Structure formats: C-alpha cells, structure tokens
Amino acid sequence: MTQAIPLRVLPEPGLVPHPVSPVAETRDSAPIRPPLDLQALSGAAGLEDRGDVGISGSVRLLAASGRLKWEDVPPDDLFADLVEIAEVNLPLARLYEGHVNALRLVRSLGDATAHAQVRQDCDAGLLFGVWGAEGVPPLVMDGAFLTGGKRFASGLGTVSRAVVTTGEGAAVRLAIVNVSDPQRHRPETWRKTGMRATVSGDFDATGLLISDLVWLGEPGQYLEEPGFIGGVWRIAAVQAGGTLGLLRAAADHLAALGRLGAEAQVARLAPVVTRALAAADFTRRAAICAEGPEGARDPERAASLSAQARLLTEDIGQDAIAATERAVGLPHFDTDAPTGRIARDLATYMRQAARDALLQRAGTWMLGQPGPFSRLLSPEDVHARG
C-alpha cells in the first residue's frame, strides 16, 4: 500500500529554513478538521481507475473530513492537503483542486448572495469545479438561454456546481452553473489514457436559463492578479504530490523484490525524490506569496513565482516518469501496475494549457529583477533592505 509522506511533521525540505507563514499568523484560526484517511484514499485509487467503484466515495471522505467546507484555510494547510491527497490519489486531488479554486473565486468575486448560496451547498457536501475549456460549439448566451458547452470538464456526475467562463478575452466573466443533470454529460468524449477516474468529458449547457446563473464579478475581473496566474501554485502542489506518489510506488515495487538498495536504483530514484521535495518547498513559498499580503503588494511577483512552480514541478514530474520506467522496467507497463496508473494520470494532468506563455511571462519577470536572485523568494528581505 502506498504511504504518503506526512508533510506536516517532517522537517522542512529545502536548504533555507522558512519562517512561519505571515498569513497563518494574521488570519483567523481555521477550523480544526479531522485527519484524512489517506490509506483508504490510496486503496480506492486503483479501483476507481478501473471503474470498479466511482470516485464519489473518496469525495465523501473529503467531505467527512471537512475539506469541502466554505471556510478558507491558510496556504500552508491547503498546500499540504493538495500534496498529500495527490500522493495517494491523483485524480481525487485534481477534483479537490477544482473545488478549492471555485470557492476562492466565489469568495473573491461573488456578492453576499453568492457567498450564502455556496456556503449552503458546501455544508450539504456538494463538490464544485472550474470548467474553462470551450466545447464545440463554445458556451455562449443566446437570448434568455445558454447554448454550447464545455469540454475537458472533470467530475461529470460528481461535481454538482461548476464555475464556468463566458465571453472571450478581456470580456470574460464567470458564472456558477448547476451541472448535476446527467443528460448533459458526455463522458464518452474523454478518450485519454490518464485521469479516467475523474470521469471527465463534455458538458452540454444548451437550454439552461441565463436567469438561473449566479454571476461572479464583472467582465475581466477573473483575469486580475494575483488570483489568476497567481493561483497555479495549486496545480504545482498537485503535480509535486503526484510525482512523490509515483516515486513512492516505484520504491515500494523495488522493495518488494528486494532490489531497493541496488546502487543503480538508488542512483535513479533518490535524486529525483530530492528534487521533488525541493520543488514542493518552492511551491509552498509561492503559495504564501500569492495568498498573503505580498501578493496584494506585488501581484506580478505572485503570478511569476506560481508559474515557475508549475513549470518546475512539471519538469521534475517528467523526470520521475522516466526514472520510474527505468527502475521498474517492463512490469511498469502492465495494465494494473500501480506505477503505470500513476504515471498515466500524472502525465495527463501535467499537460496544462499555455505552458510556453507561462514560461515567457515568468522568465521575463524573473530575469528582469534587479539585485541578487537569492532575494526572489524572500520578498520581506527586499522590502527591508531596499
């Protein structure tokens, strides 16, 4: 059974000790939540991938632990949740990231009515998602109704409410849609080898009343920083967790064969584990910047650090897949091999949109900053020293 690395109790990864999050010190104390049953989530992952059971059971475990509640949590805690869930059940982490992203959008852009409605839905254990990829035809407003839909919609049949994009470019606007009608779900359009447990596919919104939508913010607000690109640290956290979970599964496979101590295997896996842990710490720092006072003061810093975290964890994830293939060998490609399943899910998840655009934006900002690069992750030092 794959075991998660308990990020909350291990010494901090990385070379430089990190201070307690200023956000955690100033924000109201988050409600104490029961611990997650990570062993149960891990055990369900293979069954969910094969379709023997639905992922809704694992979602109910998230709800029972309080992870689907409306209340916000400090970025340290959310980071740890995303990594730990992704380590043992990557498709579930993908759905959970969509849920917390949707709640963040409602909190930042929604009015009091939206807040009250979403809080009530969360208390009822409903799962939210964010569906932005346009279908064919795309989702548009036509008189009193919506037409078209969304593609790559994760959680069909599990997600009850989705935050969707309407409009294009600077006029893009968000709205909450009730997506629980199974007649509108097209899971057969998901023909990918990975992330099968999420039950993704197309959603047909044609005929939905525009008057039933719950609008979030004004046109263009969705694209403002630090909430837009600045939020991709959550994707980076899921990628880091999935990478660590894959490497753990590879190590478990070798240990069962008595080969884990072989010099060649140590050389293949140990350096990637170290890099993944370092990238996870970079991601945690990016999260604290994006979600705290520094993100409000310098939104471009928050966006750039989050983007770099996403790019870094993707690169290491790709290296982890290659190292696992070499370490496990041909059994990795067995239909039911845990390493093969995790690698397929991770490779699919890491194919996020606009990678090159993120690289250009974040890299240009980073290289253009004055002074020592060592200060880029310590904005408080920059303000103190000038």
Side-chain angles (χ1 to χ4, degrees):
M1 186 70 68
T2 301
Q3 298 295 319
I5 297 175
L7 291 179
R8 293 180 176 84
V9 297
L10 285 180
E12 296 288 355
L15 300 178
V16 182
H18 186 74
V20 175
S21 164
V23 178
E25 291 178 339
T26 58
R27 183 178 293 177
D28 292 339
S29 297
I32 298 176
R33 299 172 295 173
L36 278 167
D37 189 344
L38 296 175
Q39 186 172 6
L41 297 180
S42 175
L47 299 174
E48 293 163 355
D49 179 71
R50 293 192 298 270
D52 295 341
V53 300
I55 202 169
S56 58
S58 292
V59 172
R60 285 193 292 271
L61 289 178
L62 287 183
S65 72
R67 263 66 179 183
L68 302 187
K69 291 292 188 181
W70 163 259
E71 288 76 17
D72 199 5
V73 295
D76 276 335
D77 289 345
L78 180 54
F79 162 81
D81 278 346
L82 290 167
V83 173
E84 289 177 352
I85 295 169
E87 278 188 283
V88 298
N89 193 319
L90 186 53
L92 181 66
R94 190 268 170 271
L95 296 183
Y96 179 58
E97 191 280 326
H99 179 82
V100 296
N101 185 16
L103 297 195
R104 183 195 63 79
L105 292 169
V106 175
R107 279 192 291 264
S108 61
L109 300 177
D111 58 19
T113 300
H115 289 187
Q117 179 174 323
V118 172
R119 179 190 290 272
Q120 183 178 15
D121 289 342
C122 290
D123 288 343
L126 300 188
L127 185 69
F128 280 70
V130 179
W131 296 350
E134 294 298 343
V136 180
L139 189 151
V140 297
M141 291 179 283
D142 184 8
F145 300 94
L146 294 176
T147 63
K150 294 294 182 179
R151 63 173 180 161
F152 305 152
S154 294
L156 295 174
T158 306
V159 169
S160 298
R161 307 284 187 268
V163 174
V164 301
T165 52
T166 65
E168 295 180 335
V172 69
R173 193 180 184 190
L174 299 182
I176 302 174
V177 178
N178 184 333
V179 296
S180 59
D181 181 2
Q183 298 301 314
R184 298 181 175 278
H185 302 165
R186 307 288 183 266
E188 68 276 6
T189 62
W190 185 258
R191 294 185 289 271
K192 314 298 184 289
T193 59
M195 285 288 169
R196 296 180 298 190
T198 62
V199 189
S200 300
D202 291 0
F203 175 78
D204 183 5
T206 300
L208 289 176
L209 285 169
I210 293 175
S211 59
D212 289 339
L213 302 181
V214 178
W215 293 103
L216 302 177
E218 297 300 323
Q221 277 192 283
Y222 170 53
L223 304 178
E224 295 176 357
E225 301 296 351
F228 187 52
I229 300 301
V232 301
W233 69 264
R234 294 185 303 274
I235 294 173
V238 174
Q239 291 179 167
T243 298
L244 291 169
L246 174 61
L247 294 167
R248 177 75 270 171
D252 288 348
H253 174 85
L254 295 174
L257 299 175
R259 300 177 185 170
L260 186 57
E263 290 185 4
Q265 303 293 17
V266 172
R268 287 187 182 106
L269 297 182
V272 191
V273 173
T274 301
R275 291 167 57 211
L277 289 171
D281 189 60
F282 184 103
T283 302
R284 183 175 61 82
R285 292 167 182 248
I288 291 170
C289 175
E291 303 297 324
E294 179 61 26
R297 283 197 303 265
D298 193 345
E300 191 59 28
R301 175 190 296 276
S304 297
L305 292 181
S306 288
Q308 291 289 3
R310 193 197 114 180
L311 297 168
L312 176 62
T313 52
E314 179 191 335
D315 286 343
I316 296 172
Q318 292 289 161
D319 290 345
I321 291 172
T324 298
E325 290 178 354
R326 296 187 183 103
V328 176
L330 196 57
H332 171 78
F333 298 95
D334 288 349
T335 303
D336 292 333
T339 57
R341 167 177 53 80
I342 298 169
R344 291 192 300 272
D345 287 341
L346 181 60
T348 302
Y349 184 74
M350 290 192 302
R351 298 283 70 77
Q352 300 283 337
R355 186 190 195 282
D356 293 340
L358 277 185
L359 177 59
Q360 287 298 314
R361 175 174 174 174
T364 299
W365 174 86
M366 182 172 287
L367 295 177
Q369 295 305 296
F373 284 142
S374 60
R375 296 187 185 183
L376 293 182
L377 279 176
S378 302
E380 58 275 356
D381 291 344
V382 174
H383 289 293
R385 298 174 189 174

